[in-house]
Amino acid sequence: MARGSAQNAKSNKANNQPASAKGAGSHLRANKGHEADFDDFEPLVEPSANRDIAGVVIAVLAIASFIAVISPATAPVTAAVAGFYHLGFGLGAYVLPIVILLFAATLFLGEDSPLNVRSVAGGAVVFIAVVSILSLMVPGTSVSCDLMFTPQNLSASGGYIGAFIASALQN
């Protein structure tokens, strides 16, 4: 073993390359001239596969959250997901999973996607404006904004997002 590694070190010194730079097994006589064969390899998946995998994962999460929002159950995970959507976004909880599903669908389009940063930002501003208007429509909030933050009003109006923005605008 010591004799072979001493010969490998000699051959690597003769080529002015360290042992790690030559590649695994390139110092063997049977592999001489085949070093270029190992440099060109095809990847197992295409580069667009990452976008496809992300699209499938996001689509599954969107469908699962839509089912949890539409028909909340007593299971702890679905109740937590439904509570997050209903308290956080109010009536927008029914729209948000559909928007997430549409975003997942655009991931499959790749570079031909009709979405850009400006259109996504504009859609987010419109969504926030709508949930804020829903929170402003809660009865009895003209005197105090405290009624916007009760749990039943949160889920029936714009949720915490809309209530925070509506209370800031109303004050």
Side-chain angles (χ1 to χ4, degrees):
M1 196 77 180
R3 183 176 175 205
S5 44
Q7 287 176 348
N8 291 341
K10 272 187 189 177
S11 67
N12 287 337
K13 280 185 183 177
N15 294 335
N16 290 330
Q17 292 181 351
S20 62
K22 293 285 286 187
S26 64
H27 62 277
L28 299 174
R29 188 171 50 203
N31 291 337
K32 293 286 186 194
H34 295 286
E35 294 169 352
D37 294 342
F38 296 110
D39 291 339
D40 299 328
F41 65 92
E42 292 184 28
L44 294 176
V45 293
E46 294 181 22
S48 66
N50 293 335
R51 291 176 67 102
D52 293 343
I53 292 169
V56 168
V57 169
I58 292 172
V60 167
L61 291 175
I63 292 170
S65 63
F66 184 70
I67 291 171
V69 166
I70 294 295
S71 60
T74 58
V77 174
T78 57
V81 169
F84 169 76
Y85 276 103
H86 284 295
L87 291 177
F89 304 103
L91 293 175
Y94 297 104
V95 176
L96 198 58
I98 295 170
V99 170
I100 293 171
L101 184 63
L102 291 175
F103 171 72
T106 61
L107 287 177
F108 293 111
L109 297 177
E111 300 299 325
D112 299 334
S113 176
L115 292 180
N116 58 22
V117 175
R118 288 188 298 179
S119 62
V120 171
V125 168
V126 169
F127 178 77
I128 290 172
V130 168
V131 295
S132 299
I133 290 170
L134 288 172
S135 291
L136 284 172
M137 293 173 49
V138 172
T141 57
S142 60
V143 177
S144 175
C145 296
D146 293 338
L147 288 176
M148 285 184 209
F149 291 98
T150 61
Q152 79 185 78
N153 285 339
L154 284 172
S155 61
S157 62
Y160 277 116
I161 301 288
F164 281 129
I165 293 173
S167 66
L169 292 175
Q170 195 169 18
N171 290 335

